[in-house]
Amino acid sequence: MRLRQCSLVTDCRLDNAHAAVTTGAMNIQEASALGGYNSPANFSTAFKRRFGITPRSVLRTNNGG
């Protein structure tokens, strides 16, 4: 059985990254660094697990494209 590690710090970082992507203040690579991820792919996986939507989808929705 594989256990998922949950962390308040990780959740807060992802929340901040979500806000940055939602407002258009940062692109995905910048937001992944803000979230503490070296890999945008790993960031996208964690982002989707937390919010149920990919960061790219958030960008498209908020930027009208």
Side-chain angles (χ1 to χ4, degrees), residues 13 16-17 20 26 29-37:
R13 287 180 177 176
N16 288 335
M26 292 185 179
Q29 185 143 359
E30 293 167 332
S32 72
L34 178 66
Y37 291 86

Side-chain angles (χ1 to χ4, degrees), residues 1-29:
M1 175 164 58
R2 184 173 175 202
L3 298 177
R4 192 178 113 206
Q5 182 180 1
C6 296
S7 167
L8 179 60
V9 173
T10 301
D11 288 349
C12 287
R13 287 180 177 176
L14 285 170
D15 289 345
N16 288 335
H18 182 274
V21 171
T22 300
T23 61
M26 292 185 179
N27 63 34
I28 295 170
Q29 185 143 359

Side-chain angles (χ1 to χ4, degrees), residues 38-56:
N38 293 328
S39 165
N42 290 343
F43 167 71
S44 292
T45 300
F47 191 99
K48 185 170 182 178
R49 185 180 307 127
R50 174 135 172 86
F51 300 108
I53 189 170
T54 64
R56 183 173 300 242

